[in-house]
Amino acid sequence: MNWQTELNNSFSWLITTLIWVSLAFTFFALLLRKTDFGEKFWLVTKPCIEQSNKFKTIGLILFLFLLILLEVRISVLNSFFYNGLYSALQDKKADAFWFFATINAMLVGFKIIHSIINYLIRQIFEIRWLEKFNGDMLSRWLDHKNYYRLKYEKDLPDNIDQRIEQDAREFITGTVDLADGILGAIVSIIEFTIILWGLSGLLVLFDISIPKGVVFFIYTFIIIATALSVWIGYPLIKLNFNKEKLNGDYRYSLIRIRDNAESIAFYDGEQKERQYLNERFKAIIKNRWAIVRQMLGLDGFNTGVTQIAMILPLMLQAPRFFAGQATLGDMHQTVQAFNRLMRALSFFRLFYEQFTLYQARLNRLYGFMGKLNELDTHLIPNPIECSQRVALENFGLKDAKGNVLFEGINLELSAGDALLIQGASGTGKTTLLKAIAGIYPFETVGRSKRPCNGKILFLPQRPYMPQGSLREAICYPNIDPHHPELERYMLKCHLDKYIFALDQENDWQAILSPGELQRVAFIRIFLTKPDVVFLDETTSALDEPTEHSLYSKIRQALPGMIILSVGHRCTLQQFHTKHLVIGLDKSSRTI
């Protein structure tokens, strides 16, 4: 083996190795599908693969493989060029020295270009994958109102926001790092074993002569070290999974304080919140110390192995050098080949901590995607018949366990009718409203009818205001933000003091008072002009004169609109033509 032969064979080596690597990768992927890890990985990645352009994806993966192989080949050539450089120094051949120095300088420039291209292609691959992955996760989460139905699941996946943003992003980066590391390690093991085999001679240990003994010694040393490292680090899988969960729980608790700051301040709940936060933070610290204790053993062991490996190849080859059987260049190439081979063989040992984090993220994504699959395959049929009116015939609701909450409700609402639903707290008024609106997550009985092609608006007790400008927040979700009558209706609903701030971006959900948020709900009614509107205690934070004013205005402006209201005040009855009372005994009566 010499540098000229290796240089001339580089192109054919790259093509041949790429073909074999592609075949091996395909075979390995098929085998991996049959394992628990492979099933989880396939469930998480399948939607992205099915939605991608197959030829572009395969081409990009092959290009990434080629760049990995090129890096290995550069390292192989580099070891031969340095052999020539140091051998020229030993023989005091100035022309040969400068020749190899020039080649090495050119190789450095080539490595820089390779590094830049490799980084760019990796980022293109990761970003495109992340775009598809994020798009699929958001679609699956929002489709069929899964984001809403998940609230009612027993084994609710924790910290969904973290799974969609952080876990997905780092899973993709981890997958590319893992594939890069495995492929580079396997090819490096083969290439540098061949080099080391050629450099090795007879190794004498305890008066025993071992042909090519350096190679066997290295393999034995690193395989034992890897096995011990895996055994020491195995508990990190569970600990790192817990770390992600506990950190997510703590962040969520902090967000809840921010979102409910006013209520906590009125309750003087700071001490209690501090107690809750301290408990969650203590759990994080306890888990962190468990990781530290485990990592002390793992890091100490890995550091010891690495330090020993720095001097070991010189010690093993020194007898041959002093005997004149190896040149200074051979010694340097031996050190390079040894270190590269050790790094390749030690890949799983050194990558083990990151792999535990990677596996934890895969498990979290698998749990989230699996739950979405479960929801998609268990859609609860709550058929709503299309009609020009809202009608219920022997209608009833069941809870998550299939128990009947109430049944036998019959009513009919035509254009211009208004129904007021009342009853004691906890009787299911809001639940009934959700069922009529079509967002009840469990089974219903009887028949439900409502307009399917008309505009339907559901307004909860605390209307939602998204982030952004006040104009966009009021017009959520699909009202024209530049509606010509927006300012007129703000005046009509007593929110004219905010007209100057329409284009200001802020957290309007927190800035507006509960009463002001409910006035926004009435602005949405005026702007949307729905055929059916559902009002779930939408005036509970308003004084009675304002409530009277707003109900009067919508009844006057939209006389054909069907209204279904839930409310406790008797003052609401004057604005409704029908009255449904739900009792604590699950009975109901229509007046």
Side-chain angles (χ1 to χ4, degrees), residues 123 134 172 181 218 246 311 318 323 357 381 418 422 462 482 486 589:
Q123 292 305 308
N134 183 74
I172 290 172
I218 291 171
L246 294 170
I311 191 70
L357 286 170
Q422 291 188 310
R462 185 175 175 81
H482 299 283
L486 174 58
R589 57 189 176 90

Side-chain angles (χ1 to χ4, degrees), residues 384-405:
I384 297 177
E385 300 178 25
C386 294
S387 174
Q388 296 300 316
R389 53 200 172 86
V390 175
L392 301 179
E393 297 177 8
N394 294 317
F395 191 73
L397 305 177
K398 294 183 179 180
D399 61 17
K401 297 180 180 179
N403 301 319
V404 176
L405 295 176

Side-chain angles (χ1 to χ4, degrees), residues 341-525:
L341 183 60
M342 190 197 74
R343 193 168 66 199
L345 286 170
S346 302
F347 169 73
F348 281 107
R349 177 176 63 85
L350 299 175
F351 193 75
Y352 193 69
E353 181 189 0
Q354 289 133 315
F355 184 74
T356 60
L357 286 170
Y358 175 79
Q359 194 168 14
R361 291 192 180 99
L362 175 61
N363 289 338
R364 288 170 58 77
L365 290 171
Y366 172 76
F368 177 57
M369 300 295 279
K371 178 56 68 174
L372 292 179
N373 284 344
E374 183 182 325
L375 290 175
D376 287 341
T377 54
H378 293 86
L379 293 174
I380 299 171
N382 291 329
I384 297 177
E385 300 178 25
C386 294
S387 174
Q388 296 300 316
R389 53 200 172 86
V390 175
L392 301 179
E393 297 177 8
N394 294 317
F395 191 73
L397 305 177
K398 294 183 179 180
D399 61 17
K401 297 180 180 179
N403 301 319
V404 176
L405 295 176
F406 48 75
E407 58 185 343
I409 298 178
N410 293 280
L411 59 88
E412 182 174 325
L413 302 173
S414 300
D417 284 340
L419 172 71
L420 175 61
I421 304 172
Q422 291 188 310
S425 297
T427 53
K429 303 183 296 299
T430 298
T431 304
L432 176 61
L433 206 65
K434 291 177 182 177
I436 301 172
I439 62 171
Y440 185 62
F442 307 118
E443 188 180 353
T444 61
V445 295
R447 300 174 67 187
S448 174
K449 299 178 181 179
R450 67 169 187 180
C452 297
N453 299 321
K455 296 179 182 177
I456 296 176
L457 185 62
F458 188 97
L459 297 170
Q461 184 174 4
R462 185 175 175 81
Y464 173 63
M465 298 283 281
Q467 292 178 327
S469 68
L470 179 59
R471 181 187 302 278
E472 292 170 339
I474 292 175
C475 296
Y476 178 86
N478 48 23
I479 304 170
D480 178 12
H482 299 283
H483 195 290
E485 296 186 292
L486 174 58
E487 293 185 14
R488 182 167 76 88
Y489 286 126
M490 288 182 71
L491 178 63
K492 206 168 189 176
C493 295
H494 314 296
L495 281 177
D496 49 297
K497 67 177 181 179
Y498 288 109
I499 290 177
F500 80 96
L502 275 172
D503 294 308
Q504 293 183 9
E505 293 193 7
N506 218 320
D507 186 2
W508 295 105
Q509 184 83 34
I511 291 174
L512 298 182
S513 69
E516 289 171 335
L517 289 173
Q518 292 186 345
R519 291 177 208 171
V520 169
F522 280 86
I523 294 175
R524 289 173 180 168
I525 296 174

